[in-house]
Amino acid sequence: DAKTTQPPSMDCAEGRAANLPCNHSTISGNEYVYWYRQIHSQGPQYIIHGLKNNETNEMASLIITEDRKSSTLILPHATLRDTAVYYCISKSFSGNTPLVFGKGTRLSVIA
Amino acid sequence: DGGITQSPKYLFRKEGQNVTLSCEQNLNHDAMYWYRQDPGQGLRLIYYSQIVNDFQKGDIAEGYSVSREKKESFPLTVTSAQKNPTAFYLCASRQGAFGNQPQHFGDGTRLSIL
């Protein structure tokens, strides 16, 4: 599974879009990109995942570049409750090994 | 409601004591996982199980043991051999052992040493 790189921290004004980048330059063709977030003292919450097409659900949008070497998670209207650590993970769908969590990006939404 | 239930939420262990953390899921998921999280760190895999009566060691299995006698249950025992057990323990499950379905997590158990 490819290694991912994320900035350690980001700030975002409340009500604005939060754009969280992730680099996965060594990703292979059968690896999905998964996003989770963890609010303090809670278990990680699944947000979204995708292979190569952009994905959207009720929580967020996932934009994957055409070469698949990077992606961006977009929270369209950030609220204070979106303050959390966000994890980007690359994982092969043909493998049976579990997800590997790095240190993620700490997003602070500011009023 | 469907989900993953971890209990207790807080647990205290005395020196030399074994303690067991419970994880139950009613999602009919095949695979289950145990992670450990230390302050300011990412998650590290302790054990995982893809099917009943089978499990594999993760990256930090020493001092821990698990069982998978039922599909919905995957308890973790922290033994006295684990010298630094203070951490946040997370259980997760997934629909299939293979494929692209995401893992879903419980709310964790925080273990401390008395």
Side-chain angles (χ1 to χ4, degrees):
Chain A
D1 299 330
K3 177 180 168 60
T4 61
T5 303
Q6 300 176 253
S9 64
M10 293 181 62
D11 292 336
C12 177
E14 188 178 21
R16 303 296 295 269
N19 296 282
L20 291 91
C22 180
N23 181 285
H24 31 79
S25 58
T26 61
I27 196 169
S28 62
N30 65 352
E31 290 185 39
Y32 277 74
V33 178
Y34 295 82
W35 283 86
Y36 286 78
R37 72 181 182 183
Q38 187 175 23
I39 296 169
H40 184 62
S41 295
Q42 296 181 20
Q45 178 187 23
Y46 164 74
I47 302 173
I48 198 167
H49 73 288
L51 182 63
K52 56 183 178 180
N53 297 322
N54 297 339
E55 302 286 344
T56 296
N57 63 21
E58 65 278 6
M59 290 183 66
S61 294
L62 174 60
I63 308 298
I64 302 175
T65 59
E66 192 169 343
D67 64 7
R68 301 187 69 241
K69 292 178 184 266
S70 65
S71 60
T72 301
L73 179 75
I74 301 172
L75 308 178
H77 304 287
T79 71
L80 297 178
R81 288 180 294 180
D82 292 321
T83 294
V85 178
Y86 287 77
Y87 297 97
C88 167
I89 302 163
S90 173
K91 172 75 174 71
S92 167
F93 66 77
S94 63
N96 62 359
T97 54
L99 296 172
V100 176
F101 285 74
K103 294 189 177 181
T105 295
R106 182 173 298 278
L107 175 68
S108 297
V109 180
I110 302 166
Chain B
D1 286 345
I4 301 167
T5 302
Q6 290 188 241
S7 62
K9 190 171 179 66
Y10 298 96
L11 186 59
F12 298 91
R13 195 192 89 168
K14 295 180 181 178
E15 293 289 340
Q17 185 182 45
N18 292 354
V19 291
T20 297
L21 285 60
S22 171
C23 178
E24 303 278 333
Q25 54 97 1
N26 60 4
L27 301 167
N28 200 33
H29 283 177
D30 295 305
M32 297 186 74
Y33 310 83
W34 275 106
Y35 293 87
R36 168 181 171 141
Q37 186 174 36
D38 293 284
Q41 303 296 313
L43 280 65
R44 292 186 290 169
L45 182 67
I46 305 173
Y47 268 99
Y48 64 102
S49 169
Q50 297 169 340
I51 194 170
V52 174
N53 292 322
D54 187 48
F55 47 83
Q56 287 79 41
K57 292 181 179 180
D59 300 321
I60 55 165
E62 186 174 351
Y64 300 97
S65 65
V66 293
S67 63
R68 186 86 186 277
E69 298 176 1
K70 297 185 295 182
K71 188 175 184 179
E72 60 270 24
S73 178
F74 191 41
L76 173 74
T77 296
V78 184
T79 74
S80 56
Q82 172 49 246
K83 298 306 179 187
N84 184 22
T86 297
F88 189 43
Y89 291 87
L90 289 157
C91 178
S93 70
R94 194 171 84 140
Q95 186 170 15
F98 296 84
N100 67 342
Q101 293 302 311
Q103 289 182 22
H104 295 274
F105 287 80
D107 284 335
T109 292
R110 195 166 296 278
L111 176 62
S112 302
I113 293 294
L114 283 177

